[in-house]
Amino acid sequence: MSFRRISTLESWLDEFRRTQGAPSGQVRVIPQDGAERSDTGLVVVELSHAPTVTYLQPDATDPSRWVVTMESREDVVVLDAAQMRALAADLETVGRLCAFLEQKSS
């Protein structure tokens, strides 16, 4: 697994916010348990209309590629049309953020 320093990830998120706009959900870097370093981070996204644990990290087999993990939920999510469009916009932003992090890593 490839890890990134917390300070590096935070600077990349700041740049994304400046150039791509702020996501509607909360995006932050949290400390990640890593055997290689004690100051590694994980990018976490809190989607505004589907509360589930969502995080971005380098792929385990190809560290130049980033992946998004959405953990399973126990509760059912019911959305009206406006909420579904908002969720779709959130997911689009997460996709752009994933591509941005890949580009920054290369």
Side-chain angles (χ1 to χ4, degrees), residues 1-2 4 56-67 102:
M1 174 67 67
S2 180
R4 301 293 188 277
L56 295 86
Q57 64 184 349
D59 183 67
T61 59
D62 180 2
S64 66
R65 183 174 165 255
W66 280 67
V67 294
E102 248 183 45

Side-chain angles (χ1 to χ4, degrees), residues 14-25:
D14 288 343
E15 182 180 343
F16 181 82
R17 288 180 183 109
R18 282 193 315 274
T19 62
Q20 307 278 330
S24 61

Side-chain angles (χ1 to χ4, degrees), residues 19-77:
T19 62
Q20 307 278 330
S24 61
Q26 184 180 8
V27 179
R28 66 186 189 285
V29 178
I30 62 169
Q32 178 180 36
D33 295 330
E36 296 175 16
R37 305 182 94 116
S38 60
D39 65 344
T40 59
L42 185 68
V43 178
V44 176
V45 179
E46 292 180 25
L47 301 172
S48 57
H49 289 89
T52 188
V53 177
T54 304
Y55 54 91
L56 295 86
Q57 64 184 349
D59 183 67
T61 59
D62 180 2
S64 66
R65 183 174 165 255
W66 280 67
V67 294
V68 178
T69 301
M70 299 176 78
E71 294 188 354
S72 62
R73 302 180 34 86
E74 291 183 19
D75 300 328
V76 173
V77 176

